[in-house]
């Protein structure tokens, strides 16, 4: 399953399928990006980060892609599991000389059994 | 290594009272950030502090809100004369450095103003 931009804040995929969550960021000068996962009633959990000198970074079952030309960030989750159900936020660092994360709207990912 | 600790987890205040939210960063972290989250919305940056200094408070309302991170003890976000619109989840994050490093969040304090 895939969503485009922030117009579809809910994404449902079948367990075991791959999911792609997209994010459009606002500042072409942002040089650091983070994906967070937030479960109901909990704080955001760090998933993966990427710096602007890279266009791809892989973690365990997750891959982040960065396209600076169109200011687009995506999070790919492979072989989704029920525990992946959560709201996913992208965040860009808009601070100058300091950390000031600006969060996107978020995408609610639901994994169907 | 304990994560970012926030307390209380839930706080109920009547309009006009004061709310004090505490945050102990991860061990070894000297950079603290406060965010506010309304239901079904993303987190909004409020303030960034380093030990004893406020680095960036551009997201914090000019009145009634203040933050500190003393040399000893937790960071405190203080809201005076609370109003219903202050009801939200307040999250604290910490990092080991001040830029382009992983920021880890606490479980938040959910403030309800009645």
């Amino acid at each position: 399953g895939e969503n485009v931009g922030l117009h579809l804040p809910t994404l449902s995929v079948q367990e075991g399928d791959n999911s792609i969550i997209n994010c459009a960021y606002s500042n072409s000068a942002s040089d650091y990006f983070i994906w967070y996962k937030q479960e109901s009633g909990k704080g955001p959990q760090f998933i993966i980060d990427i710096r602007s000198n890279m266009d791809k970074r892989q973690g365990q079952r997750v891959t982040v892609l960065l396209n600076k030309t169109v200011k687009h960030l995506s999070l790919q989750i492979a072989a989704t599991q029920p525990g992946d159900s959560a709201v996913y936020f992208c965040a860009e660092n808009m601070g100058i000389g300091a950390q000031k994360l600006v969060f996107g709207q978020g995408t609610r990912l639901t994994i169907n059994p | 290594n304990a994560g970012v600790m926030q307390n209380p987890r839930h706080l109920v205040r009547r309009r006009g009272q004061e709310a004090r939210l505490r945050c102990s960063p991860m061990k070894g972290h000297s950079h603290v950030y406060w965010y506010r989250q309304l239901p079904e919305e993303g987190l909004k940056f409020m303030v960034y502090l380093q030990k004893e200094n406020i680095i960036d408070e551009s997201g914090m309302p000019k009145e009634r809100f203040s933050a500190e991170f003393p040399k000893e003890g937790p960071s405190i976000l203080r809201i005076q004369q609370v109003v219903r619109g202050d009801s939200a989840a307040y999250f604290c994050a910490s990092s080991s450095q001040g830029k382009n490093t992983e920021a880890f969040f606490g479980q938040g304090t959910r403030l309800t103003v009645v």
Side-chain angles (χ1 to χ4, degrees):
Chain A
E2 180 177 278
N3 79 324
V4 178
L6 300 176
H7 302 293
L8 297 173
T10 301
L11 177 65
S12 294
V13 300
Q14 291 298 121
E15 183 178 350
D17 285 354
N18 299 332
S19 66
I20 299 175
I21 301 171
N22 295 295
C23 175
Y25 64 91
S26 59
N27 188 353
S28 57
S30 294
D31 58 1
Y32 181 61
F33 306 86
I34 304 178
W35 278 100
Y36 286 95
K37 170 186 179 183
Q38 187 176 30
E39 296 174 278
S40 180
K42 296 186 178 180
Q45 176 187 351
F46 176 94
I47 301 174
I48 191 167
D49 61 358
I50 188 168
R51 287 172 170 72
S52 60
N53 61 352
M54 304 173 69
D55 52 20
K56 180 179 180 179
R57 189 156 189 239
Q58 288 184 291
Q60 186 175 11
R61 285 201 305 119
V62 295
T63 301
V64 55
L65 299 177
L66 175 62
N67 185 332
K68 294 181 287 293
T69 303
V70 294
K71 293 188 291 185
H72 184 269
L73 199 66
S74 70
L75 176 71
Q76 301 176 3
I77 305 175
T80 53
Q81 304 168 357
D84 294 330
S85 292
V87 177
Y88 290 81
F89 293 98
C90 66
E92 60 182 301
N93 181 22
M94 297 183 69
I96 299 175
Q99 188 101 310
K100 181 178 176 179
L101 294 176
V102 175
F103 283 74
Q105 178 186 2
T107 297
R108 183 178 301 280
L109 176 66
T110 301
I111 308 302
N112 301 315
Chain B
N1 185 12
V4 177
M5 303 300 291
Q6 289 187 250
N7 68 82
R9 289 294 307 277
H10 300 274
L11 182 61
V12 179
R13 284 286 177 266
R14 295 185 185 278
R15 281 178 293 172
Q17 291 185 319
E18 177 180 287
R20 280 185 179 238
L21 288 62
R22 295 174 187 78
C23 169
S24 296
M26 286 181 68
K27 187 176 181 181
H29 287 190
S30 59
H31 302 262
V32 165
Y33 317 85
W34 285 94
Y35 287 80
R36 178 164 65 178
Q37 185 178 36
L38 296 173
E40 300 296 307
E41 292 190 8
L43 284 79
K44 298 288 192 290
F45 171 83
M46 298 182 72
V47 62
Y48 161 37
L49 310 102
Q50 199 176 354
K51 279 290 185 181
E52 300 185 271
N53 293 305
I54 296 175
I55 307 301
D56 184 341
E57 56 181 348
S58 58
M60 199 138 78
K62 294 288 187 284
E63 297 180 353
R64 301 189 298 109
F65 285 71
S66 63
E68 62 177 10
F69 188 17
K71 186 176 181 180
E72 301 292 336
S75 175
I76 306 288
L77 178 66
R78 183 183 176 202
I79 310 173
Q80 294 178 291
Q81 300 174 332
V82 296
V83 301
R84 288 230 170 102
D86 296 333
S87 295
Y90 292 83
F91 290 96
C92 167
S94 72
S95 66
S96 58
Q97 299 178 41
K99 184 170 171 62
N100 294 355
T101 57
E102 300 173 21
F104 297 92
F105 282 81
Q107 295 302 314
T109 293
R110 277 145 189 86
L111 173 65
T112 302
V113 180
V114 298

